[in-house]
Amino acid sequence: MQTEALHAYLRWRNANSRHRDVLVAEHKERARIRAKKASVGVADRSQQQPDQRTPT
């Protein structure tokens, strides 16, 4: 049973795989977005007010 499930998954994965160039492009785009968020996040954190929530 486990072997059959594994083989079914591998058939699905191989049928739904993406080209390596597409994966590389997606990886680069995600890295660019993370870097942009990190650089903006550092500036924003210094200007944010302390957390205003009341302790429970």
Side-chain angles (χ1 to χ4, degrees):
M1 185 168 122
Q2 188 176 17
T3 304
E4 293 169 2
L6 177 62
H7 285 269
Y9 166 73
L10 291 173
R11 280 191 302 274
W12 174 86
R13 188 189 68 180
N14 290 336
N16 293 290
S17 65
R18 291 178 284 174
H19 193 273
R20 183 174 180 87
D21 292 342
V22 172
L23 297 175
V24 169
E26 288 177 351
H27 176 74
K28 287 180 180 179
E29 180 64 12
R30 286 188 194 114
R32 184 187 67 78
I33 291 169
R34 276 194 309 272
K36 186 176 180 181
K37 283 183 180 180
S39 67
V40 170
V42 170
D44 287 346
R45 285 189 201 122
S46 64
Q47 297 172 3
Q48 285 180 344
Q49 305 239 345
D51 193 3
Q52 299 295 325
R53 291 183 288 176
T54 57
T56 53

